[in-house]
Amino acid sequence: MFSSDIPWEKYGVIVELTRRIQDQSPQFGKTVMQKLVYLLTTIYGVPTGYEHTLYTYGPYSEELASDVANVAAMEGIEISHGVKNGFEIKLAKNHDWVSGKSTKFINENRTKIDSLIRDFGSFNARELELRSTLIFLTKSEAFSREKLTKQLIELKPYFTEKEVYFAIDELIDKGFIGKEPLCIL
Amino acid sequence: MHYEIRDPIHGFIQISEWEREIINHPVFQRLRRIKQLAWTDMVYPGAVHNRFEHSLGVMHVASRIFDAIATKDKQFLVSKLNFNDSGLDHDRVMLRLACLLHDVGHSPFSHAGESLMLTNPETGKSYKHEHYSAAIVRYALKDVIEDHPLNENYKISAEEVAQFIEGSKPKFNRVLLWRDLLSSQLDADRADYLLRDSYHCGVTYGHYDLNRLLVTMKVGFTEIDNPTLAIEEGGIHVAEALILARYQMFTQVYFQHTRRAYDHHIADAIKTLLIKEQSSNPEIVEKDKFPAPTSPNGIKHYLAWDDWRVLGLIAAGYGGEAGTILKDRKHYRCVFKTPEHATPRDIDLCDRIGDEFERLAIPGFRDSARSSWYKLGNEDILVFDGSGKDRRTVPLSSKSSLVKGLLPVFQERIYVPIEERDRAKEIIDAVKEGVE
C-alpha cells in the first residue's frame, strides 16, 4: 500500500550507463544516453521499460528524458552545458544512493550492459544516431540493402550512402541484423 | 461545405464535411462522456469539461499554427523543402485528422484510468492512451476515414493517421515535420489544454499569449540540417510563458493533493468493476485491466467503457470500497508530503513512514507526482539563433536562463482515511524524531 512506485530500476540504468561510459564516450550527453538505452532494450533485451519513437535525432523516449531530469534533480547525475549546444552527463554526489536502490536489477543485467558498452560505447552521438535508426527501421520491417539505405537517407539526408552502407555491414557482422532481407534478429 | 462549432476558448471552430462525419461517429461522440480532468471538479467545481471539446480545440490550434507557418514560410517551403500547394493541403488534412483523433483512446476519467492498462509484452511497458487511439483509428474508424468522397483528393489511410498519432514508423517522412504540432513541448495539445483547463477551473495559471506564439513560429534547421519547427527570437518570452503556465497548472491543479486522492479512488473503483465484469471470462488472464489495444474485439470492449458507465455502476453499488468513498465524498487525506523537489533524505523519510504504516496496518496509499515540465536536450524548443543565416536554430535553454534552471516536480505523498488521520500524524512525528 505504501510502497514506492518510483522507477528505481530505470534510474539505476541511467546511473550505471553514466558510470560506465562518462569517461569512455567521446561526448556522453542526452542523445548518447537515449541511443544506448534504446540499443540496450532492443538488441540486448534488457527490460528497461522504455519505449522509443522516431524523433529528430533518431529513436527517442520522452519518459527517459523525464527520468534523466529526475535523476539529475536528485543529484544522481549532473547535466551541464557541454560543447556547442549539447549537454554533458557525469555522475553526481548521490549516485551511490540511486544505485543502491536498483542493485539487483543492474546485477541481473550486468553482462548485457557489458556487451552494450563493448559494442557501442565508443561511438559518438552521430554514429549512434545512424546505427540506432537502422535498428529502429529494421525492427518493424524487412528491407533490401538499397531500400534501407534510401529510407535512411530520406529521413536523415546528412548521412552519406557510404556511411550508411558501412554501418549496415557492421551491424550485420556483429549479428544485430540479418542479411538480406535486412531485419532485426 | 464547412460547418462551425462554437468553442469557449477559440470562438468558432470550422470543420469540413469529412471531419463532421468523423465527429458524428459513436467512437468520437464517446469523448463527450470522458471528463478531461477526471474528478478535479471536487476541488475546482467548474472542471467538468470533456475530451470532446479539447480534441476539437487541438485540431483548431494545430491548424492555426500550420496556416501561420504555411503562409509566412510559403516561399521557403516550396523552394527549399519541395512542398507544393497540394502537398501542403495534404499535410494539413493529415495533421487535422491526427489532432482530432489523438485522444479517442482515453479510458474513463482520462489519465486516472491509465494505471489500468495492460503491459505491452513487446516493450515490457504499460500501454498508454495513444496506443488505444492508434488502434481505434485502425480498427474502428478505418471506413469513416478512408471512404469519404473528399478523401479521393488525398488518399489518406487510417494506418497513416494511426502512425502519425503514435509516432511508430517514419513512413510519413516529410509529414514528420508537422508531428511536432501534435507532440512536442510546443504542441497544439498543451497549447489548448492549458487555456481550456484554466478556463474551466477558474484559474489564471495556464494563460499565455497564443496569438503571439502563432506569429513567431517558423520552419528552421537543426544543427544537423533537419527541417524543424522553431520560434523566432522575439518569441522566446511567449515560449517561456507557456512553459511557466504548464508548471503552474501542474503544481496548482493537476498535482493538487485532493485531486490526486480522487484519481487513486476512481482507479480503484474501476479496477473493482473490471474484475467483476471479467471474472467469468476464462480468456482474460489479468482481470483487473482494460483489454489490450491489439485486436478489434479488444477495442470493441474497451470502447464500451466511459464515465457514464462507471458512474452508473458506482451509483448502483458495484464500485466496492472505493466506490463508496467516491459516493460519500470521503476521500483519503494527505498526512505527509515531501517538498516539490524531494531530496534523497525526503524520499528515505517517506519510505520509513510507509514501512511503519505497513507494520501497524494503517490503511492508505502512497502517491508519486512526477513531471519534468520542461525537457532539455533533444526535446528542447528550438529558437532561431539570431544570426539570420540559413535559418539556424539553437535550444531555448541556451537562450533562456529561466528555462535552464527548471527542476522537475518530484513529490511523494502519503494518504490515510480521515478516521486514521490523527493516529497517522502521531506515528509520523515519532518516525521523524527517530530519524533526527
Side-chain angles (χ1 to χ4, degrees):
Chain A
M1 284 187 303
F2 295 103
S3 58
S4 157
D5 74 345
I6 298 171
W8 291 116
E9 293 179 350
K10 292 178 173 178
Y11 294 177
V13 168
I14 291 166
V15 169
E16 184 63 18
L17 288 181
T18 306
R19 186 197 317 278
R20 301 289 300 276
I21 212 160
Q22 64 176 359
D23 296 323
Q24 183 180 341
S25 169
Q27 48 178 113
F28 185 55
K30 293 183 174 191
T31 305
V32 172
M33 177 72 84
Q34 284 282 346
K35 305 319 169 213
L36 289 179
V37 172
Y38 175 72
L39 295 167
L40 186 65
T41 312
T42 309
I43 293 185
Y44 302 95
V46 174
T48 63
Y50 289 116
E51 189 174 3
H52 287 68
T53 57
L54 205 66
Y55 209 71
T56 312
Y57 298 93
Y60 179 80
S61 160
E62 189 179 338
E63 187 186 4
L64 174 58
S66 290
D67 286 349
V68 167
N70 287 333
V71 177
M74 57 179 68
E75 297 184 88
I77 57 171
E78 178 188 341
I79 305 168
S80 54
H81 277 268
V83 289
K84 295 167 86 176
N85 288 309
F87 292 88
E88 193 176 5
I89 299 179
K90 287 197 174 299
L91 288 179
K93 67 175 184 180
N94 294 327
H95 68 89
D96 280 338
W97 177 77
V98 177
S99 297
K101 292 180 179 293
S102 56
T103 310
K104 183 168 175 279
F105 182 77
I106 297 299
N107 284 340
E108 283 169 0
N109 292 289
R110 191 167 297 288
T111 315
K112 292 173 177 173
I113 295 172
D114 289 345
S115 302
L116 171 82
I117 303 297
R118 181 195 64 218
D119 296 331
F120 293 99
S122 58
F123 288 125
N124 64 25
R126 180 185 162 92
E127 291 164 333
L128 284 171
E129 180 190 348
L130 172 56
R131 284 152 183 82
S132 59
T133 306
L134 286 168
I135 295 286
F136 190 96
L137 292 171
T138 51
K139 187 167 181 263
S140 54
E141 194 174 338
F143 289 92
S144 67
R145 178 184 296 261
E146 290 70 28
K147 197 174 164 201
L148 178 60
T149 306
K150 183 168 175 277
Q151 175 95 59
L152 191 291
I153 291 175
E154 265 179 30
L155 274 169
K156 298 174 180 297
Y158 41 91
F159 287 111
T160 65
E161 203 169 84
K162 191 177 164 190
E163 272 180 296
V164 178
Y165 266 68
F166 183 81
I168 290 173
D169 284 340
E170 184 189 278
L171 292 173
I172 292 172
D173 285 348
K174 287 184 176 174
F176 298 137
I177 55 176
K179 287 185 180 172
E180 305 275 343
L182 302 173
C183 61
I184 195 162
L185 292 172
Chain B
M1 178 85 177
H2 278 83
Y3 300 87
E4 287 177 331
I5 300 172
R6 194 188 282 271
D7 177 75
I9 308 301
H10 306 298
F12 285 108
I13 293 178
Q14 285 204 335
I15 57 169
S16 69
E17 274 185 67
W18 185 10
E19 290 158 352
R20 186 169 181 253
E21 274 198 23
I22 294 170
I23 290 166
N24 282 338
H25 194 284
V27 162
F28 194 86
Q29 289 293 315
R30 170 179 171 271
L31 295 182
R32 291 183 188 273
R33 305 187 296 278
I34 308 281
K35 278 204 292 182
Q36 173 85 359
L37 296 180
W39 286 64
T40 301
D41 58 313
M42 299 304 278
V43 180
Y44 297 99
V48 291
H49 53 306
N50 54 47
R51 292 277 155 188
F52 181 89
E53 61 169 275
H54 166 62
S55 298
L56 294 172
V58 175
M59 178 179 74
H60 178 75
V61 172
S63 306
R64 285 190 69 194
I65 301 174
F66 182 98
D67 292 345
I69 294 169
T71 304
K72 191 165 34 173
D73 275 350
K74 176 91 180 271
Q75 186 64 33
F76 172 77
L77 289 165
V78 170
S79 62
K80 298 289 184 193
L81 300 180
N82 302 315
F83 278 91
N84 59 21
D85 285 341
S86 65
L88 282 169
D89 193 23
H90 168 277
D91 288 3
R92 186 179 191 275
V93 170
M94 168 71 97
L95 175 69
R96 282 177 65 84
L97 291 177
C99 288
L100 182 66
L101 298 171
H102 81 287
D103 267 355
V104 288
H106 263 296
S107 64
F109 300 100
S110 294
H111 294 289
E114 279 195 323
S115 61
L116 303 171
M117 290 175 178
L118 282 167
T119 300
N120 180 348
E122 282 183 20
T123 62
K125 183 172 161 47
S126 289
Y127 290 111
K128 292 197 293 193
H129 75 269
E130 289 90 345
H131 297 108
Y132 285 89
S133 293
I136 288 165
V137 167
R138 287 185 178 104
Y139 298 135
L141 295 172
K142 184 174 165 59
D143 293 348
V144 74
I145 289 172
E146 294 183 359
D147 295 347
H148 195 278
L150 282 176
N151 197 21
E152 288 293 316
N153 299 301
Y154 308 102
K155 310 285 187 201
I156 289 172
S157 68
E159 181 59 30
E160 286 174 298
V161 178
Q163 287 180 12
F164 192 104
I165 290 170
E166 63 188 3
S168 58
K169 291 181 187 175
K171 285 193 170 173
F172 30 81
N173 296 334
R174 193 181 60 182
V175 182
L176 197 59
L177 173 66
W178 307 114
R179 193 168 182 275
D180 282 357
L181 293 181
L182 176 60
S183 180
S184 72
Q185 298 200 89
L186 206 58
D187 62 23
D189 187 19
R190 63 189 64 181
D192 181 81
Y193 76 62
L194 289 173
L195 296 175
R196 190 172 303 281
D197 294 349
S198 297
Y199 172 85
H200 285 288
C201 289
V203 300
T204 54
Y205 306 121
H207 288 190
Y208 65 93
D209 190 347
L210 174 61
N211 290 324
R212 177 70 183 138
L213 183 68
L214 287 173
V215 298
T216 60
M217 288 191 75
K218 292 178 76 172
V219 178
F221 285 112
T222 65
E223 59 182 347
I224 50 174
D225 285 333
N226 263 336
T228 183
L229 300 184
I231 51 175
E232 294 171 345
E233 237 190 336
I236 286 177
H237 298 303
V238 69
E240 286 177 338
L242 185 135
I243 293 159
L244 279 178
R246 189 158 176 265
Y247 170 72
Q248 296 276 16
M249 285 298 285
F250 266 90
T251 53
Q252 303 300 311
V253 177
Y254 308 137
F255 287 171
Q256 201 275 348
H257 61 95
T258 302
R259 208 200 84 79
R260 296 286 291 188
Y262 276 100
D263 273 359
H264 176 87
H265 294 314
I266 189 64
D268 262 3
I270 298 173
K271 191 185 231 182
T272 302
L273 299 176
L274 284 167
I275 292 170
K276 276 189 182 141
E277 187 203 50
Q278 300 177 351
S279 61
S280 57
N281 189 335
E283 289 175 12
I284 298 174
V285 181
E286 288 188 67
K287 298 187 191 300
D288 56 354
K289 303 280 187 196
F290 289 114
T294 48
S295 70
N297 199 39
I299 286 300
K300 185 179 156 199
H301 281 96
Y302 179 78
L303 285 169
W305 286 100
D306 59 26
D307 291 7
W308 286 14
R309 183 178 180 197
V310 171
L311 292 175
L313 290 166
I314 289 174
Y318 295 113
E321 191 186 336
T324 305
I325 288 170
L326 292 165
K327 274 204 295 184
D328 296 346
R329 207 168 66 88
K330 281 186 71 179
H331 61 275
Y332 284 14
R333 298 319 203 254
C334 177
V335 289
F336 174 81
K337 63 178 180 183
T338 68
E340 284 173 6
H341 312 292
T343 63
R345 184 186 161 88
D346 299 323
I347 293 168
D348 285 342
L349 176 60
C350 193
D351 287 345
R352 284 203 181 91
I353 291 167
D355 290 345
E356 192 63 3
F357 281 12
E358 297 270 10
R359 193 180 69 77
L360 297 169
I362 305 268
F365 65 91
R366 176 168 170 171
D367 174 64
S368 294
R370 292 190 292 272
S371 179
S372 171
W373 43 280
Y374 187 74
K375 298 184 190 76
L376 308 176
N378 287 13
E379 270 193 274
D380 223 320
I381 292 169
L382 294 173
V383 185
F384 278 71
D385 69 3
S387 68
K389 288 179 186 169
D390 306 325
R391 294 183 177 241
R392 291 288 143 202
T393 60
V394 293
L396 175 63
S397 59
S398 70
K399 293 244 179 191
S400 164
S401 53
L402 186 150
V403 163
K404 203 184 325 188
L406 301 179
L407 280 178
V409 172
F410 195 114
Q411 187 167 37
E412 301 285 301
R413 294 187 180 112
I414 288 180
Y415 292 78
V416 299
I418 191 165
E419 314 80 72
E420 297 280 357
R421 185 161 54 180
D422 292 342
R423 187 176 164 218
K425 286 187 170 169
E426 284 172 16
I427 296 166
I428 291 168
D429 288 341
V431 171
K432 280 181 177 170
E433 273 180 32
V435 170
E436 283 158 9

